[in-house]
Amino acid sequence: MGDLRIEKSNRPPLGLDEVEKTMQKFIPVDKLARPENHILVPLEDIQQARIDQKLLPFNAMPYEDDFLKGRLHGICAGEFQAMEAAGRSLFDFPDAPWEFQLDMARQVWDESRHAEIYMKLLEYVGSYLGEFPESEVLWSCTQVDDPACRVAGINRGLEGLACDVFEQIIRLAQKMGDPVIERAVDYVLADEITHVRMGSQWMRKLTEGDPARLKKAQDFQANIDTLFNFGGGRTSQEDARQIPQRLAEKEIQFDATLTIAKEARLLAGFTEEEIERIVRAASRSAAY
Amino acid sequence: MPELGNRANVMGPQPIAQRSPVPAAMTAAAEQVLKLIESGDRAGLEAMAFERARADASALAQGVQPGMYDEHEIVAQARANQHYYIKARIIGPGAAPILIQIRLGEHEGRWVIFESKNLTGRRSAWTK
């Protein structure tokens, strides 16, 4: 056997202290870096592009031809930003409890797996990462300097939204008779439910004995819930109007709106009251 | 590690849909826009732009003199429904490269510029 001794380097080890000094904390919305061969545009520009084509400004809707490609692409980009957000929550708040940091690290790992799964699903539906532009909107939900607000916004707000979106895609896949999409998304949904619970736990733990801070975190999440109401374009699953949807040579009847997944949200630890608030807010927006 | 065979022979789930083809007319229009920028033809750019986007389109060639640029390369492309974002680098012997991004859409039977941005010196597609 050869000599296994490792030569000692003269270079000092790059410790976390040094990384902390050189890396920027709290990356603002307009500093989210992407490779040059990637198209990242502000959400309002994408909305304008849709308006220019006489479409609703929101994301691809279930009645659109490219719904599945567009929706899976949006989720895939979202998984990347969720991975970055969890990593940033770990790095931005070095004084948070060690268990908080461990949970955030675990979430980075989960989100990276999700990003890979969705890249494969994109190939499966005849798309690829980069077919559609990415917007910064999810990253805008990280713009807060309190870890309690951060987890309220990301883990409860955005991951709660993910529960809604994923549950709808699972139902769509079931109607299509497609076990690949159904099982892959169900696998990811199980993780998202865990992330919401993690967010709920940390929001409460970090604000223990400080009702004002808890209120601030809840308000931050409420703002995010409102941002993703899609101007009333969401309903409960039961209230969703059914319209024909053509996918991969099959025509099925499916939701005309984005739905709110009560069951998945209950599993994730949202209370009935919280879910009702989201449903009410969605129908209130629809009136305008 | 045991020999697992040739992974390329393994049959997994196959795609259920085809990739959406990029319209050839859009690609031709993008090439035309990039050539207009290369030659500093501001009037030509305005003529290819949707009314609201004319000033920004013309500004893409601001300060470009004939001979400064003679080459371009498309570095990224994406679509929002049937509108296409094109990010391209304009290169030449007479000046530093410029990086631009346009959005092309079909309007009244021809492809026109709906939006344009000069991204030169920015860190990524949008960020500064």
Side-chain angles (χ1 to χ4, degrees), chain A residues 168-180:
Chain A
Q168 190 174 40
I169 291 178
I170 291 168
R171 279 191 294 111
L172 182 68
Q174 285 167 343
K175 280 207 165 183
M176 286 166 65
D178 189 315
V180 174

Side-chain angles (χ1 to χ4, degrees), chain A residues 155-173:
Chain A
N155 287 58
R156 286 172 55 80
L158 289 186
E159 305 274 339
L161 175 74
C163 291
D164 298 336
V165 172
F166 294 0
E167 185 272 344
Q168 190 174 40
I169 291 178
I170 291 168
R171 279 191 294 111
L172 182 68

Side-chain angles (χ1 to χ4, degrees), chain A residues 29-34 36-42 45-46 48-50 52-53 55 64 66 69 123-126 128 130-133 136 178 180 248, chain B residues 13-20 22 50 52 73 75-83 85-87 89 99 101 103 114-115 117 123-128:
Chain A
V29 172
D30 70 343
K31 291 280 195 296
L32 183 62
R34 285 291 181 270
E36 192 179 63
N37 63 356
H38 188 93
I39 293 192
L40 174 73
V41 288
D45 288 3
I46 298 177
Q48 186 60 53
R50 288 180 57 84
D52 287 341
Q53 295 171 79
L55 297 164
E64 291 178 25
D66 274 343
K69 287 181 182 180
E123 281 176 39
Y124 181 66
V125 298
Y128 52 91
E131 180 173 15
F132 302 96
E136 82 304 348
D178 189 315
V180 174
Chain B
Q14 298 301 300
I16 57 171
Q18 299 295 311
R19 286 193 176 194
S20 307
V22 176
F50 188 63
R52 188 186 66 219
E73 57 173 343
V75 292
Q77 180 179 300
R79 69 185 176 98
N81 288 76
Q82 299 308 315
H83 278 202
Y85 288 94
I86 303 283
K87 196 198 299 191
R89 187 180 291 106
L99 188 68
Q101 185 169 291
R103 170 163 61 89
F114 272 84
E115 185 190 316
K117 279 180 184 169
R123 200 169 68 182
S124 77
W126 174 54
T127 53
K128 299 178 186 103

Side-chain angles (χ1 to χ4, degrees), chain A residues 70-140:
Chain A
R71 178 56 53 82
L72 293 177
H73 195 281
I75 295 170
C76 189
E79 297 291 357
F80 275 98
Q81 291 194 20
M83 178 178 70
E84 291 167 305
R88 280 287 160 182
S89 295
L90 172 63
F91 180 69
D92 287 346
F93 307 114
D95 299 328
W98 183 85
E99 292 84 354
F100 172 91
Q101 297 183 327
L102 186 65
D103 277 348
M104 292 302 111
R106 175 236 162 106
Q107 195 173 332
V108 173
W109 187 20
D110 290 347
E111 306 294 2
S112 68
R113 282 200 318 276
H114 301 172
E116 283 188 69
I117 288 168
Y118 277 103
M119 282 171 76
K120 289 283 179 197
L121 284 180
L122 282 175
E123 281 176 39
Y124 181 66
V125 298
S127 183
Y128 52 91
L129 186 64
E131 180 173 15
F132 302 96
E134 179 185 3
S135 93
E136 82 304 348
V137 69
L138 300 182
W139 190 254
S140 69

